[in-house]
Amino acid sequence: MERKVFIQELKKSKLIAHRLGHAMTEYPENSINVLQAIFDNKELLNSCDGFEFDICFTKDHVPVVIHDKYLDDISDSFGFIKKHTISELKKVNFGFRKSFGQNKNNSFTFKIVTLEEILSFFADNLDLLKDKIIKIETKEAYKMNNLYTFTKILNDFPILSNNIVHLSFYPQNLHFFRKIQKQNNYKIIKTDLLCDYRIIAFISRF
């Protein structure tokens, strides 16, 4: 019975490829390679309703596509993303997570991908992307200059504005994101607030 209920609920849900769908191919998370492999395979592409990825900002305020705030587990370098410039990060080799062990081809490496590069890929493949969702999560409570940069880059891709949703655990990110859009007459992009159960439980007391 549980399996039947699970399948019924699954059919009602949107299936979003986490970290650009790293578990769907033999390529590492958040690489152009994993996206290309999915878009080259019609069956894989049709198996999901969208893609999710996180961004962090470099020392020189460039948004890059990465899940962690630090380099240690996913590259041959170490330290926080925000302590490195984009030029420095482009010299670092990224790959599979060290914490995942040897069950993947750990010899494969790639260079970190910027938000612009990822959006360019989606825009160039719009005929295949169609109406699939692009969920972009901001990982920290960012300063205004970073949010301005983020919002401006998204506005540079109006062809994707109906696909993109900005996600964050930080309501101030979403608030100022919407404010910047309105102030600059940018095309409005949807936002969703993330939360966890302990926050829900806390709110429910009032």
Side-chain angles (χ1 to χ4, degrees):
M1 181 64 183
E2 287 184 5
R3 184 174 182 273
K4 185 178 179 181
V5 171
F6 173 77
I7 292 172
Q8 288 174 343
E9 290 305 311
L10 194 61
K11 288 179 179 179
K12 299 176 189 176
S13 303
K14 296 283 186 183
L15 297 179
I16 306 300
H18 186 221
R19 302 184 198 177
L20 292 177
H22 72 102
M24 298 167 69
T25 79
E26 293 302 310
Y27 292 102
E29 64 186 64
N30 295 324
S31 63
I32 285 288
N33 308 80
V34 72
L35 265 187
Q36 189 65 65
I38 293 170
F39 274 72
D40 285 344
N41 186 318
K42 187 176 180 180
E43 185 177 354
L44 278 181
L45 187 60
N46 290 340
S47 71
C48 67
D49 298 299
F51 299 89
E52 180 272 348
F53 60 91
D54 311 85
I55 61 166
C56 288
F57 286 85
T58 65
K59 186 177 181 179
D60 47 348
H61 312 294
V62 177
V64 290
V65 178
I66 190 168
H67 181 270
D68 300 354
K69 301 173 188 177
Y70 48 86
L71 298 164
D72 305 52
D73 193 35
I74 46 177
S75 79
D76 59 5
S77 187
F78 60 91
F80 286 94
I81 294 292
K82 63 184 178 183
K83 298 293 185 180
H84 295 77
T85 66
I86 186 60
S87 177
E88 291 168 344
L89 289 173
K90 282 293 187 179
K91 297 174 184 176
V92 173
N93 291 317
F94 289 80
F96 290 102
R97 290 184 173 274
K98 297 167 189 173
S99 57
F100 282 0
Q102 299 298 317
N103 57 343
K104 293 274 189 177
N105 178 13
N106 287 343
S107 63
F108 182 86
T109 62
F110 67 98
K111 299 303 180 183
I112 198 165
V113 184
T114 66
L115 174 62
E116 285 189 273
E117 289 169 338
I118 285 291
L119 295 180
S120 292
F121 177 92
F122 284 128
D124 291 343
N125 292 277
L126 191 63
D127 58 326
L128 294 172
L129 180 69
K130 297 179 181 177
D131 61 350
K132 292 185 186 297
I133 305 165
I134 302 170
K135 295 191 173 230
I136 307 173
E137 181 182 343
T138 50
K139 299 291 287 182
E140 298 181 66
Y142 289 123
K143 295 178 181 178
M144 286 297 290
N145 57 346
N146 283 339
L147 287 173
Y148 270 112
T149 299
F150 174 53
T151 312
K152 172 66 169 59
I153 290 173
L154 295 187
N155 191 65
D156 289 340
F157 292 87
I159 199 170
L160 299 174
S161 60
N162 291 328
N163 301 84
I164 295 173
V165 180
H166 172 204
L167 309 174
S168 187
F169 283 99
Y170 297 91
Q172 61 267 46
N173 282 6
L174 306 181
H175 171 74
F176 288 115
F177 175 78
R178 290 193 291 264
K179 188 173 181 179
I180 293 166
Q181 288 184 104
K182 291 179 181 178
Q183 286 177 342
N184 292 276
N185 293 315
Y186 290 164
K187 190 159 185 179
I188 300 301
I189 286 173
K190 290 175 282 189
T191 59
D192 274 336
L193 178 65
L194 296 169
C195 66
D196 58 31
Y197 287 110
R198 66 178 180 272
I199 294 176
I200 293 172
F202 176 79
I203 292 173
S204 66
R205 297 176 191 172
F206 297 92

